[in-house]
Amino acid sequence: QVQLVESGGGLVQAGGSLRLSCAASGRTFSNYAVGWFRQAPGKEREFVAAINWSGGSTYYADSVKGRFTISRDNAKNTVYLQMSSLKPVDTAVYYCAADRAGWTLRSNPRVYDYWGQGTQVTVSS
């Protein structure tokens, strides 16, 4: 069992930065791949970024490539999403999720096993 708690969301102006954290409980967290997803009102949940169990491989949606960076610190059971050059279209609830297939990087939210409750990110123009 893995429990995930996101934090770090808030209100920021366009062009600004935020760092989201995903803190996990469970001693096997380091075996999981982790993905970040987001969902805007009236839209489907969309993939943002993923990182494998070791942190050695990452994968980004085209919409955030070059602006967002995913990383992890397994000693702290935490995964981060550094977001820069934020745009109003980035406004959404951001979720982290854990995938027991830790060696993979997957964008389909249906394959993820555990989810956090989400944190709101609002980017003003």
Side-chain angles (χ1 to χ4, degrees), residues 3-114:
Q3 294 183 324
L4 304 173
V5 178
E6 302 95 335
S7 62
L11 173 64
V12 63
Q13 288 189 332
S17 299
L18 281 175
R19 188 176 80 158
L20 305 184
S21 297
C22 173
S25 63
R27 57 185 178 181
T28 62
F29 178 68
S30 60
N31 295 335
Y32 286 74
V34 174
W36 283 97
F37 294 80
R38 65 187 182 187
Q39 189 166 19
K43 295 189 176 182
E44 293 187 352
R45 191 166 298 191
E46 70 169 336
F47 170 75
V48 175
I51 190 166
N52 74 336
W53 69 274
S54 68
S57 295
T58 57
Y59 174 42
Y60 297 93
D62 288 343
S63 59
V64 306
K65 200 172 296 183
R67 300 188 298 123
F68 291 10
T69 302
I70 189 171
S71 62
R72 69 189 297 162
D73 184 341
N74 284 340
K76 296 182 178 180
N77 272 8
T78 303
V79 173
Y80 305 98
L81 185 68
Q82 178 67 47
M83 306 185 296
S84 303
S85 302
L86 282 162
K87 307 173 182 180
V89 295
D90 295 318
T91 296
V93 177
Y94 283 71
Y95 300 89
C96 65
D99 179 1
R100 67 185 63 192
W103 60 94
T104 63
L105 298 171
R106 301 194 281 185
S107 60
N108 183 352
R110 296 181 180 181
V111 305
Y112 284 76
D113 302 289
Y114 302 102

